Amino acid sequence: MKQLLLWTNLYPTKQAPHYGTFVKSTEQAWRQALGDENVQLVAIREKPTGKFSKIKLYAGLLTRCVLSLRNKPVGTLLEVHYPVYFLPLLYLLSLVKPKHFYLVLRFHGTDLVQITSSRLFRSCFHRLKGNVDLCVAPSEHFRHQINTHLDFPLSHIVKVYPDSVGEHFVARPTMSSVTQSDMFTVGCVSRLEAGKNCQSLLEAFAKLAIPNKRLILVGEGSQRTVLERAAEQLGIASSTTFTGALPREQLPNILTGFSVFVFPSVSESFGLVAVEALACGIPVIANAKLHASKEYIQEGKNGFFYEDGVEGLVAALEAFYAQSEDKRALLREQASKVREQFSDQQVFSQGVSTILRKQQSD
């Protein structure tokens, strides 16, 4: 029976239950496929509280990674999530035990940027590349990004979606919603960071000539105070709600209260939050620069793309609002069909099978 080592710096915790849910789901899929006794997880299981805390946690993580290598048979699968944090250790491992493990690097987005923007990490990857058996990308677009920016052969990069929206991802009647049925509710779930482009959403919302409008931003990040101040300056503070970060199991109840979901980010490796909105029957209006989202958003069927920044988003939202209720109902019906594409079976079982088949063929 195959054995698997799974290394990750991101895993759900009590303080941050939304962190790394996809890693936990992947771990569960591997345990189901290989058996609990053949899967070993090495992860950070608490959120850093400061710089010293972060250094301590990562030092402990890397130490446990080294210890986990002992007595592992040749051919053991070593799946590394967010590989940028492990590159120096993996390079040293390749010198000590070349080709002892079947090395799988599982990219999630920002890790690719960190590698390409750092001379140290680029050098580590270049030296390690010959010992990397497989790279896993969350979307077809990102698969080609890895190929282009890391000069890694496309034949050894596979696409595996990061998470599912299975039967468990549904609204619960007992949970309350922050929306009101008589309002046009524009919603977004995002980390509140500069690259997520939430400022443009606030500016577009302020310009909407729509009565009874409401904006709900779900998420946390370093830009929250800046965005709250911007909402006040734009005169929309009273119609804007910042909920903070929420556990994933609470998202369906929030999402089902949206009239439309806006995805303003300009760069995503996949965009799970948009898939989650679609699964709840909520049409998505997404930035046209999000190439990965074209794998699940169908223009005019379950959502729309916009260009030209704030003005383009305003036009898209007002056009959506102007549609008949029958048209909106059809959009909602088509949106919910994304569950078939991103079921537990389609994502996790096939993801595990894809990696195992690739190892066997190599």
Side-chain angles (χ1 to χ4, degrees), residues 211-228:
N212 297 324
K213 64 181 181 179
R214 185 174 184 82
L215 174 63
I216 297 177
L217 281 169
V218 180
E220 195 57 79
S222 63
Q223 294 293 300
R224 176 167 178 171
T225 301
V226 174
L227 293 171
E228 288 176 332

Side-chain angles (χ1 to χ4, degrees), residues 116-186:
T116 56
S117 61
S118 164
R119 180 179 298 178
L120 170 63
F121 291 142
R122 282 202 315 272
S123 176
C124 281
F125 185 85
H126 178 73
R127 295 171 184 273
L128 174 67
K129 190 162 56 174
N131 284 277
V132 177
D133 296 287
L134 191 67
C135 286
V136 178
S139 66
E140 190 63 30
H141 171 71
F142 204 72
R143 180 170 170 257
H144 286 272
Q145 291 287 299
I146 294 172
N147 169 245
T148 300
H149 294 291
L150 296 181
D151 192 27
F152 195 79
L154 201 59
S155 59
H156 282 73
I157 309 172
V158 298
K159 177 184 75 174
V160 175
Y161 291 131
D163 213 335
S164 70
V165 283
E167 296 179 358
H168 60 283
F169 195 78
V170 293
R172 302 176 184 178
T174 57
M175 295 174 63
S176 62
S177 172
V178 297
T179 63
Q180 298 177 25
S181 59
D182 61 339
M183 304 195 78
F184 180 73
T185 304
V186 178

